[in-house]
Amino acid sequence: MSTTRTDTQVVVIGAGQAGLAVAYYLRRFELTPGVDFVVYDRGPRTGGAWQHRWDALKLGSAHHVNDLPGMSEIGLSFDTADRSLPARDIVAGYYRRYEEFYGLDVQRPVTVTSVFDKGADLIVQHTRGETATRVVVNATGTWGAPFVPYYPGINTFRGRQVHTSSYLSAEEFAGQSVIVVGGGTSAIGFLLELEGIAASLTWTARRPVDFRDESELTIEGGVAAVAMQDAAARSGQALPSIVSGTGVPRTRRIAAGIERGVLIEREMFTRIEEDGVRWPDGSFTRADAIIWATGFRPELRHLAPLRLREKTGGLTVASGASWQDSRIFLAGYGPQASTIGANRAGRIIARQVMAQL
């Protein structure tokens, strides 16, 4: 790895929704991109985690994507985007124009490998060298830390196991017997895409799926989910899943899938065997593939040298600031994980960063 050393006041790690929102407000507070603050992003292209999403995912078929702060000045809005195109292409294109318009000078692809103390400074080690900085804003999200729960026999399965993060298209599973694990919108999307393509589909979830009788996420549901995330973050607990707070809106598409019998989940299997899964009642289902739509965890491995993690499993964070180290901010963590939460947090975090400088 190169030993090139640079200095700046603020390093923002990640150029997804949260990272770009913070960068926008830092610029508004008259910090110069590429000089006073640097944004590192490991993705080869713009779009954050969206650039890795599968072909069939369209805007509107997943959680709502909110506009970045200042996007209206460019004449862009996700509310009026073409929903017939892949979501990843729309988001990547909008984010590219956003970065260019505001001159955010995002450095990519740059992977941050570790952040550690060196006196008053923090040293950010990455694939282009290292950067000394006074403040770090971590906005790495969760896409790089897929979660697959352990079940007995998981390593003996002879078929294919795929997580949401590596799912490409339904055609990969044509003519196969597929088990989809998970109780959120990704699992439901996979099932509806696989219908008529896979030879057989079985849906199972670790807890009963909480269908809500509304066509989209309500304000009340969003507030409840944010409150759960905030309580966990403030107490240093591991973060709960978003869907455990929001439930799944019973859209017309989902209601039709339930009526057809595609979206009827089973109780979770107890073990995995070479050719399938075993259920609590002792019955067996053969499978060629298991799709784990079981979510993600915050990607924080590079912060390990700072010893921020609590014994309770999470980081203690309030209003985006680490309670363990006042120089570390976490954008998009916990209650800020939604796209609207990330936008609001951008201004709050940028103000706190300015107070540190």
Side-chain angles (χ1 to χ4, degrees):
M1 183 178 74
S2 169
T3 56
T4 302
R5 171 76 174 266
T6 57
D7 295 330
T8 188
Q9 295 190 70
V10 184
V11 169
V12 179
I13 307 173
Q17 181 94 12
L20 291 180
V22 172
Y24 168 84
Y25 285 111
L26 290 176
R27 184 181 177 277
R28 285 280 299 272
F29 291 138
E30 300 186 350
L31 295 189
T32 303
V35 179
D36 299 320
F37 72 91
V38 179
V39 183
Y40 292 131
D41 188 63
R42 71 178 178 188
R45 299 176 298 279
T46 56
W50 285 94
Q51 67 188 279
H52 306 296
R53 306 276 182 160
W54 54 100
D55 296 345
L57 185 65
K58 305 294 193 297
L59 290 177
S61 62
H63 295 296
H64 183 70
V65 181
N66 290 278
D67 293 345
L68 290 164
M71 188 177 279
S72 60
E73 296 179 38
I74 317 174
L76 298 176
S77 175
F78 287 115
D79 290 338
T80 56
D82 186 346
R83 297 197 173 195
S84 68
L85 299 176
R88 67 182 183 193
D89 295 341
I90 296 291
V91 176
Y94 281 17
Y95 281 15
R96 182 181 64 254
R97 292 173 63 181
Y98 186 86
E99 289 181 18
E100 292 172 352
F101 184 85
Y102 288 109
L104 298 180
D105 194 24
V106 177
Q107 304 297 301
R108 62 167 59 87
V110 178
T111 299
V112 171
T113 54
S114 67
V115 179
F116 60 91
D117 264 316
K118 191 170 185 181
D121 285 336
L122 291 163
I123 302 299
V124 179
Q125 289 189 328
H126 49 77
T127 48
R128 292 187 186 175
E130 63 181 32
T131 302
T133 183
R134 295 175 63 184
V135 174
V136 166
V137 178
N138 190 78
T140 48
T142 61
W143 190 262
F147 171 68
V148 175
Y150 174 81
Y151 281 88
I154 190 170
N155 295 321
T156 67
F157 184 62
R158 294 189 296 194
R160 185 181 177 198
Q161 297 189 61
V162 175
H163 186 269
T164 301
S165 59
S166 56
Y167 179 95
L168 295 177
S169 70
E171 284 67 32
E172 293 183 278
F173 304 94
Q176 297 183 14
S177 298
V178 181
I179 294 174
V180 178
V181 183
T185 54
S186 293
I188 290 170
F190 295 151
L191 289 157
L192 294 176
E193 290 171 22
L194 289 161
E195 184 183 12
I197 294 177
S200 67
L201 284 172
T202 303
W203 184 22
T204 183
R206 290 174 291 162
R207 62 181 67 89
V209 179
D210 181 16
F211 287 112
R212 303 287 177 90
D213 289 324
E214 58 252 358
S215 60
E216 59 184 20
L217 179 63
T218 62
I219 293 175
E220 292 78 9
V223 168
V226 168
M228 290 173 59
Q229 294 280 319
D230 190 40
R234 287 177 180 273
S235 62
Q237 302 285 331
L239 299 177
S241 68
I242 293 292
V243 74
S244 66
T246 63
V248 177
R250 197 188 300 263
T251 63
R252 285 183 293 179
R253 183 168 178 251
I254 288 175
I258 295 171
E259 188 173 339
R260 293 194 305 273
V262 179
L263 299 181
I264 305 296
E265 83 274 16
R266 293 190 61 165
E267 182 182 3
M268 194 66 196
F269 49 73
T270 55
R271 66 175 295 107
I272 301 172
E273 300 181 10
E274 290 184 348
D275 300 313
V277 300
R278 187 72 58 181
W279 304 98
D281 62 4
S283 62
F284 178 81
T285 296
R286 193 189 70 80
D288 300 302
I290 300 173
I291 299 176
W292 297 96
T294 43
F296 300 81
R297 296 291 184 264
E299 187 177 5
L300 304 171
R301 290 184 295 270
H302 52 287
L303 300 181
L306 299 175
R307 301 183 182 276
L308 303 177
R309 192 175 296 278
E310 306 284 2
K311 292 180 180 179
T312 45
L315 274 62
T316 304
V317 178
S319 299
S322 167
W323 283 15
Q324 295 283 3
D325 190 326
S326 61
R327 301 167 299 172
I328 304 295
F329 295 87
L330 293 106
Y333 182 85
Q336 305 170 4
S338 68
T339 57
I340 192 167
N343 280 350
R344 290 171 177 164
R347 177 179 293 180
I348 294 170
I349 288 176
R351 282 178 174 167
Q352 293 180 87
V353 168
M354 295 304 297
Q356 294 265 13
L357 301 181

